[in-house]
Amino acid sequence: MQRIVVDAMGGDEAPEAIVEGAGEATLALADSELILVGDSAQIGSTLSRVRHDGSRVRVHHTPSVIYMDEKPAEALASKPDASVAVAADLVARGEADAMVTAGNTGASVLACARRWELLPGVRRAALAAVYPTELRRGENNDPFSLLLDVGATIDASAEDLVAFAIMGSAYAQVISQNARPRVALLSNGTEAGKGPEPVTGAHKLLLEATGLNFIGNIEGLDIPRGVADVVVCSGYVGNVVIKMLEGVSETVLSLARYAHKERLMWRVALAMLSGGIQRLKSITDWKQYGGAPLLGFNNLCIKAHGRSQPQALANAVKVTSKALRSDLCGAMAASLAEFQERREARAANP
Amino acid sequence: MASRAQHVFRWDLDKTYLRTEFDTARDLLKSAFETARDKKAYPGASALLRALRQTEEHRICIISGSPTQMRRVLAAKLALDGIEFDEFVLKNNLRNILRGRFRALRSQVPYKLPALLESRTHVLHTPPETLFGDDAEADAIVYSLYADILADRVTGEELSRILDAARAYDDELEWTMSLFRRIRRRDAVGRILIHLDRRSPTARFEVFGRRLVPIYNYFQAALILYADGLLTARQVLFIASEMLEDPDIEIATLANSLQDLLRRGRLSPEVASQLAHEARAAAQTGALAGRSHLPSFEEVAWAFTFRVRQLGTLPPPPALDEHPDLDYVSLVDAEYQRRRSKYGD
């Protein structure tokens, strides 16, 4: 049985939305046990109001919470028994197989980084986010491309970017069942020499020493077009990009709402388009994504959106379960080892 | 013949003992053509029934809404599972169809309440009772109403209004009222166990008070009956070990079930430790002999202790009434409306 630990107190809507989503997941996943970490009284009170399978839920009481606006390092130091820290501990001790949290992103990354080991060949972890594009990919007809890193590692070296590319490619193979994901580096031009040193260095390494389906550099406008299935960048760049994409999506919806109020003709036009808009909304709805995986550790953490409602959290748990079933960490480790072997072989026979 | 039973256990079958789907016409048809071997009991249910039967004075009564035409296959299934019963009541739906009483096909209160009351007339004394039902239909309402009738907390006038709300046919109303007048009063129903087949939120059942306990599985039922003094620790162990033979059930499932009852305040930590103490003694005397493929008692005990520890200091359990004053007319009417909107009865 898979044991997925959920930080029940992390997130804007915690613990209610988190516990409800976890409860929903117990009904969908017959082979999983969910360990809810947090205030047992609050968790119990919410559980009693939602449908769930009580025999697949374990509550692990812990009194402290790290809130969304707290500084990660300080908060973790002053609250060693915070739910996110205890959740990461349970995984580190082998009492759980993976972790899901919708809490403070910095604290989640730090809690994992301090307790878990990095995979051989990985110097820094990457937080990956999925983004809907025009194209469909893989056996699952997945509309999402993967963007990493979106904030775990602010400055990434060429080596880090290559490791991100390898891990992202493995994730796309396992989760989207995309046999040969197209991997690209995000830069300010498609030419090989464009971009800062880490990007040009990574470009060279990816071409020479990996068996990935590397398609070169892409520009920002190529992301929503779906030119690449895995887009690699530093955490600083990725965070700016993902927040801008979210902002654009929200602005489009606000404009539509404004138009709906403003003129009758616009309202009629929107009503005529409502089917399409709903479809578009469902594709661009982050609640469907199932969270962002934190890649690079020997264990798996899925970071759900801070504003996660029950459905989003349940989807995050389902993705975690899928990743465990497919041994995502094992697949990433194998790809990284293969890269090391190729590099060593090239070094031996230049 | 009247029985001298010291304790009566009443069981529903579908969704309580048997995994049955009857939400659609297709489900009903499939269920009707299943053989005894095709039918599946919930893990631990047959072990629990057999454990209850080990005490001679225990009377097992099965009252099901399945049609009488299924008696042969259902009795065969119970025989296959090694279940002996004293009474087996099924619903005569063919008669309902022939008389054009289509409302009665799915009705709950007008069928089950008189069936329970009539069965009660078959026991000589006024023995205590434990009732087993599920969350798919109206078992919580019918069983609570039956319990309150026995305890003399429902008047004839109230019952008449309740049967009206349940849209009982005139003859059903008259028959139920005549049984109501005949029945000997005693606060006999100590426990109602509702199997959460639909995984309904447990808070939905708090209105029914402490007497009614929603359960996710039959290990939880065994724990409650152990707390009620109706099962021994050794019997609880046997039920658990039979459940562990199901591929979907692991020690973690049982340990979580224990934790769930503690969290809901339905089992006290003292009872849990008493069970652990007695179970350890039973295991040492070879209670699980011949089941060497199962996890060791130490392993089970560790998992259980760990779950209790993980809960931290238990919060105070929800304040549930011993004898809640239930508005049966509203409950029954709401149940009728729900069923009507679902099935168009």
Side-chain angles (χ1 to χ4, degrees), chain B residues 167-184:
Chain B
R167 276 66 169 180
Y169 287 99
D170 287 346
D171 57 340
E172 287 172 334
L173 193 144
E174 277 169 33
W175 173 232
T176 311
M177 293 308 291
S178 77
L179 289 163
F180 172 83
R181 284 186 288 271
R182 274 163 51 194
I183 215 84
R184 288 168 67 186

Side-chain angles (χ1 to χ4, degrees), chain A residues 56 80 299:
Chain A
R56 298 196 181 279
N299 297 302

Side-chain angles (χ1 to χ4, degrees), chain A residues 136-144 172-178 322:
Chain A
R136 303 286 167 132
R137 46 186 63 79
E139 279 178 31
N140 293 351
N141 234 357
D142 205 333
F144 304 113
Q173 283 175 335
V174 165
I175 301 297
S176 306
Q177 287 173 344
N178 184 351
K322 188 176 180 183

Side-chain angles (χ1 to χ4, degrees), chain B residues 6-9 48 51-55 58 128-132 190-191 193 221-233 235-236:
Chain B
Q6 296 301 309
H7 198 109
V8 179
F9 296 89
L48 174 57
L52 294 173
R53 189 67 194 187
Q54 281 169 359
T55 306
H58 285 176
E129 299 200 5
T130 301
L131 315 178
F132 293 81
R191 189 64 68 199
L193 293 161
L223 291 171
I224 297 291
L225 295 182
Y226 169 78
D228 289 347
L230 292 165
L231 286 180
T232 63
Q235 287 173 316
V236 176

Side-chain angles (χ1 to χ4, degrees), chain B residues 105-119:
Chain B
L105 292 177
R106 284 192 186 268
S107 72
Q108 292 289 305
V109 181
Y111 160 68
K112 219 160 193 180
L113 183 63
L116 289 163
L117 291 170
E118 189 180 6
S119 172

Side-chain angles (χ1 to χ4, degrees), chain A residues 280-338:
Chain A
L280 193 69
K281 207 177 154 205
S282 74
I283 289 174
T284 57
D285 188 359
W286 55 264
K287 297 179 194 77
Q288 309 285 340
Y289 301 176
L294 178 60
L295 305 176
F297 294 109
N298 58 343
N299 297 302
L300 181 68
C301 170
I302 297 283
K303 171 67 185 71
H305 202 292
R307 283 182 277 155
S308 286
Q309 293 291 330
Q311 184 204 354
L313 199 283
N315 284 336
V317 174
K318 287 178 202 167
V319 165
T320 310
S321 168
K322 188 176 180 183
L324 283 173
R325 265 199 308 275
S326 325
D327 187 21
L328 174 65
C329 290
M332 287 191 301
S335 297
L336 287 160
E338 194 186 317

